[in-house]
C-alpha cells in the first residue's frame, strides 16, 4: 500500500533525432597561398574528396529524477493513499514555474457509504449476548424502522469530507467515518415504550465541570471544555475550577484586540472570541455541569437532539442504557457532540468498560456498543445527578421494553464526601486486624 512506481515518458527523443539529421559536417580544404597542389603521378587518376559518413549524434539523456518509495497507507487519518508519478519534458524553467499545470497534484477521494441494517443476525455478529441481555430484542427488531437520522448522519460525514478536501490534516478519519453500524427506532407492542437503538463504537468524553461538587479534575484531554449541554443552576458560592482560566483568556484577548496593528480580519476573529468568552464566563459563574470523570452519560450528535427538520430523536437529559457484552450501564444523554460523529460516553462510564480508558484511549474500537436511548424521558427541572434515581429510572424503562437479564450496574456517587461513622459514647475500642467483612450484628445469645 505504499507509493506505486510511476510511468516516466518524454517526447524529446524524436526532436533530438531531427536535430541530429540537420547537423552537417563542414569540411573546408584550405590551400596555402602561393603554393601549388602536389602533382598526381602519371597513370593515376586524381583523387577526389570522398564524403565520410557522419556519425549519429546521440540524444542527450534526460536528467534522472530521484524517486523514493514511501509507506503512506496510514497517512491522512487512516485513508489508503495510492499515487502515480508522471513526469513530462516541459519548456524552460522560467516558463514552467509560472504555469500552474506544470506542477500539480490531482486528488480523488473515494469513500463507500455503508448501508444500515435492521436484522438481529447482523447485531449478533457484533454482540452475540444481546438477546440474552434483552430477551424481547428479537420481537423489537422485527418491527423496527431504520431511523432517518442514520442517513442524515452519513450525509454530514460526506459533506465534512468535501469541505476539508483542501486540508488533508483535517479530514475525518477512517475510524470516525465508519463509527455507526445502524440506528433503529424500536417500540414495544404492549407498553408502547419507544427506544432508539444506536450500534456504534465508544469514544471518550472528558468534558464538564462543577465547582459545587468537584474541586479538582481528572483525565482532562486536549479537547476538554468545562461545559456540557446538560446543566442546572449553581447552588453554592464555590467558584468553578476553570473560571480563573477563562477570565485570563478574556483579558488576553481584549488586550490583543486593543492593539494598533491588528488586521481587519483578525479584529473580527478576536471580537467574536471576546463575545464567546464573556458568555462562557457567565455560564461558569451561574451554572453547574456534568463531570466526565464522575458522572455516567453519553454524547449524541447535535442534530439528533436538535434537528433542523423534523422532531428531535432525543433530548438532553433523556435516559439511556449502554450495553457492552453482557453488562448494562445506566446513563443519561448528557452532551451533544459534532454533527458528523457518533458513539461517545463519559470517562466515568468508559472506565467501567476498561480501566485503561482515557482522553487518548477509547474503551471500544469496534462497533460492539449498543446505546438504548429512551426519548421523552428527561426529568425536569434539571438537577445535579442523583445516581440512585438514575438507576431506578433506567431499570423501570428496561422493564417497559420487555425486561432484561443480568445486572444493571450501579454507579457510586464519587462526588459525595465519604461518610465516616462517628464513635458513640460507650462503644468499645477495637485494636487489632480489621475483618474482611463487617456485617449486621449477631443476635444476642439467650442466657
Amino acid at each position: 500500500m505504499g507509493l506505486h512506481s510511476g510511468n516516466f515518458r518524454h517526447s524529446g527523443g524524436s526532436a533530438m533525432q531531427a536535430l541530429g539529421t540537420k547537423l552537417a559536417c563542414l569540411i573546408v580544404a584550405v590551400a596555402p597561398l602561393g603554393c601549388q597542389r602536389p602533382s598526381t603521378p602519371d597513370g593515376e587518376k586524381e583523387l577526389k574528396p570522398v564524403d565520410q559518413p557522419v556519425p549519429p549524434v546521440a540524444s542527450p539523456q534526460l536528467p534522472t529524477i530521484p524517486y523514493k518509495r514511501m509507506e503512506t497507507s496510514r497517512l491522512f487519518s487512516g485513508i489508503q493513499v495510492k499515487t502515480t508519478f508522471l513526469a513530462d519534458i516541459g519548456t524552460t524553467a522560467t516558463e514552467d514555474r509560472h504555469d500552474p499545470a506544470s506542477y500539480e497534484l490531482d486528488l480523488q477521494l473515494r469513500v463507500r457509504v455503508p448501508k444500515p441494517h435492521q436484522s438481529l443476525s447482523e447485531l449478533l455478529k457484533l454482540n452475540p449476548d444481546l438477546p440474552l441481555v434483552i430477551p424481547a430484542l428479537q420481537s423489537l427488531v422485527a418491527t423496527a424502522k431504520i431511523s432517518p437520522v442514520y442517513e442524515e448522519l452519513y450525509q454530514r460525514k460526506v459533506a465534512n469530507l468535501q469541505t476539508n478536501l483542501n486540508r488533508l490534516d483535517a479530514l475525518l478519519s477512517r475510524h470516525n467515518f465508519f463509527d455507526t453500524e445502524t440506528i433503529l427506532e424500536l417500540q414495544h407492542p404492549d407498553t408502547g415504550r419507544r427506544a432508539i437503538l444506536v450500534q456504534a463504537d465508544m469514544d471518550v468524553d472528558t468534558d464538564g465541570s462543577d465547582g459545587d461538587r468537584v474541586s479538582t479534575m481528572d483525565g482532562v484531554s486536549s479537547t476538554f471544555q468545562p461545559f456540557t449541554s446538560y446543566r442546572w443552576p449553581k447552588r453554592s458560592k464555590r467558584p468553578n475550577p476553570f473560571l480563573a482560566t477563562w477570565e485570563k483568556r478574556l483579558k488576553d484577548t481584549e488586550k490583543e484586540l486593543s492593539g494598533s496593528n491588528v488586521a481587519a480580519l483578525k479584529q473580527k476573529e478576536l471580537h467574536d472570541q471576546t463575545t464567546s468568552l464573556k458568555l462562557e464566563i457567565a455560564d461558569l459563574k451561574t451554572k453547574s455541569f456534568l463531570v466526565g470523570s464522575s458522572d455516567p452519560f453519553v454524547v449524541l450528535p447535535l442534530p439528533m437532539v436538535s434537528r433542523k427538520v423534523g422532531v428531535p430523536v432525543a433530548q438532553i437529559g433523556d435516559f439511556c442504557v449502554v450495553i457492552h457484552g453482557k453488562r448494562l450501564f445506566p446513563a443519561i444523554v448528557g452532551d451533544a457532540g459534532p454533527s458528523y460523529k457518533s458513539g461517545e460516553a463519559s470517562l466515568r462510564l468508559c472506565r467501567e468498560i476498561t480501566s485503561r480508558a482515557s482522553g487518548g484511549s477509547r474503551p471500544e474500537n469496534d462497533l460492539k456498543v449498543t446505546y438504548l436511548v429512551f426519548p421523552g424521558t428527561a426529568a425536569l427541572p434539571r438537577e445535579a445527578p442523583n445516581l440512585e434515581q438514575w438507576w431506578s429510572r433506567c431499570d423501570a424503562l428496561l422493564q417497559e421494553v420487555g425486561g432484561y437479564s443480568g445486572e444493571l450496574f450501579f454507579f457510586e456517587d464519587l462526588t459525595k464526601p465519604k461518610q465516616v461513622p462517628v464513635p458513640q459514647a460507650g462503644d468499645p475500642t477495637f485494636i487489632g486486624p480489621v475483618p474482611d467483612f463487617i456485617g449486621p450484628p449477631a443476635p444476642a445469645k439467650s442466657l
Side-chain angles (χ1 to χ4, degrees):
M1 267 89 66
L3 288 168
H4 297 286
S5 47
N7 301 320
F8 183 86
R9 73 182 186 203
H10 65 87
S11 59
S14 57
M16 302 307 283
Q17 291 176 1
L19 177 64
T21 57
K22 291 181 180 179
L23 293 176
C25 179
L26 183 61
I27 301 176
V28 180
V30 180
L33 294 175
C35 297
Q36 297 180 350
R37 180 179 299 176
S39 59
T40 303
D42 295 338
E44 293 185 11
K45 296 181 178 180
E46 182 179 355
L47 295 176
K48 296 181 179 181
V50 178
D51 292 336
Q52 297 295 327
V54 179
V57 179
S59 300
Q61 297 295 319
L62 291 172
T64 301
I65 299 178
Y67 178 76
K68 182 179 180 181
R69 185 179 181 86
M70 297 178 60
E71 294 297 332
T72 58
S73 60
R74 294 185 63 84
L75 292 179
F76 310 138
S77 303
I79 298 175
Q80 179 172 270
V81 178
K82 295 181 179 180
T83 63
T84 300
F85 178 70
L86 181 66
D88 289 311
I89 297 301
T91 55
T92 66
T94 300
E95 294 182 15
D96 288 342
R97 77 186 306 177
H98 296 294
D99 182 3
S102 66
Y103 200 90
E104 64 181 359
L105 175 66
D106 293 331
L107 284 177
Q108 184 182 48
L109 178 62
R110 293 187 299 270
V111 297
R112 296 177 185 170
V113 179
K115 298 178 181 179
H117 64 75
Q118 58 183 102
S119 67
L120 183 61
S121 61
E122 294 293 335
L123 289 173
L124 293 182
K125 294 178 182 178
L126 299 169
N127 184 0
D129 295 319
L130 272 178
L132 303 177
V133 178
I134 307 294
L137 186 63
Q138 183 172 0
S139 60
L140 291 171
V141 172
T143 59
K145 298 178 181 179
I146 296 175
S147 175
V149 299
Y150 179 91
E151 181 180 356
E152 295 170 7
L153 174 64
Y154 272 91
Q155 286 175 347
R156 292 190 298 273
K157 289 177 182 288
V158 171
N160 178 267
L161 292 176
Q162 292 173 329
T163 301
N164 292 312
L165 267 181
N166 60 341
R167 290 192 55 199
L168 297 181
D169 60 329
L171 281 178
L172 189 63
S173 69
R174 174 194 292 267
H175 175 90
N176 285 326
F177 187 82
F178 298 105
D179 62 9
T180 306
E181 186 75 15
T182 192
I183 303 177
L184 300 178
E185 297 179 353
L186 312 177
Q187 186 169 18
H188 194 275
D190 298 330
T191 65
R193 170 56 63 191
R194 295 171 52 242
I196 303 297
L197 186 151
V198 180
Q199 190 71 29
D201 60 7
M202 181 176 282
D203 291 334
V204 181
D205 183 13
T206 64
D207 290 349
S209 62
D210 181 9
D212 292 353
R213 298 183 300 141
V214 182
S215 57
T216 58
M217 301 296 296
D218 174 38
V220 174
S221 68
S222 59
T223 59
F224 171 82
Q225 291 292 328
F227 319 97
T228 59
S229 301
Y230 187 95
R231 57 189 65 189
W232 61 95
K234 190 171 174 57
R235 302 298 184 189
S236 77
K237 295 183 179 180
R238 289 190 292 271
N240 186 289
F242 295 93
L243 177 59
T245 301
W246 254 245
E247 288 178 333
K248 184 179 185 305
R249 287 184 182 180
L250 175 61
K251 184 178 179 180
D252 293 343
T253 304
E254 290 178 333
K255 180 179 179 181
E256 185 177 359
L257 182 59
S258 63
S260 57
N261 296 325
V262 181
L265 186 61
K266 185 65 174 179
Q267 280 186 344
K268 182 181 184 307
E269 179 184 342
L270 292 173
H271 178 76
D272 292 342
Q273 288 181 5
T274 300
T275 302
S276 178
L277 285 169
K278 288 180 178 180
L279 294 174
E280 292 173 352
I281 288 173
D283 281 343
L284 292 176
K285 289 181 177 180
T286 60
K287 299 290 193 302
S288 289
F289 309 90
L290 297 174
V291 179
S293 58
S294 302
D295 303 321
F297 62 87
V298 302
V299 182
L300 295 181
L302 178 61
M304 287 187 68
V305 298
S306 178
R307 296 176 70 194
K308 294 182 178 179
V309 179
V311 180
V313 174
Q315 296 179 351
I316 297 297
D318 281 344
F319 288 92
C320 173
V321 173
V322 178
I323 304 172
H324 184 258
K326 295 182 179 180
R327 306 178 70 193
L328 300 95
F329 302 92
I332 67 166
V333 178
D335 209 353
S339 62
Y340 48 85
K341 291 174 59 178
S342 182
E344 190 173 358
S346 65
L347 179 61
R348 175 72 191 280
L349 199 159
C350 292
R351 282 182 171 169
E352 291 301 332
I353 293 179
T354 173
S355 59
R356 298 187 300 273
S358 67
S361 177
R362 61 178 63 92
E364 181 56 78
N365 284 307
D366 297 325
L367 309 181
K368 295 183 177 181
V369 184
T370 304
Y371 302 83
L372 207 56
V373 181
F374 298 95
T377 60
L380 295 175
R382 295 178 186 171
E383 296 177 343
N386 185 323
L387 300 186
E388 292 182 6
Q389 291 182 3
W390 288 13
W391 186 95
S392 298
R393 189 72 177 107
C394 287
D395 174 76
L397 291 168
L398 285 172
Q399 300 300 337
E400 293 182 15
V401 291
Y404 64 98
S405 175
E407 179 183 356
L408 180 63
F409 185 84
F410 178 77
F411 286 97
E412 178 187 358
D413 192 342
L414 301 180
T415 67
K416 287 185 177 180
K418 301 295 183 181
Q419 298 293 331
V420 179
V422 180
Q424 301 295 322
D427 287 349
T429 301
F430 176 79
I431 300 177
V434 178
D436 293 335
F437 175 75
I438 301 177
K445 295 182 179 180
S446 60
L447 297 176

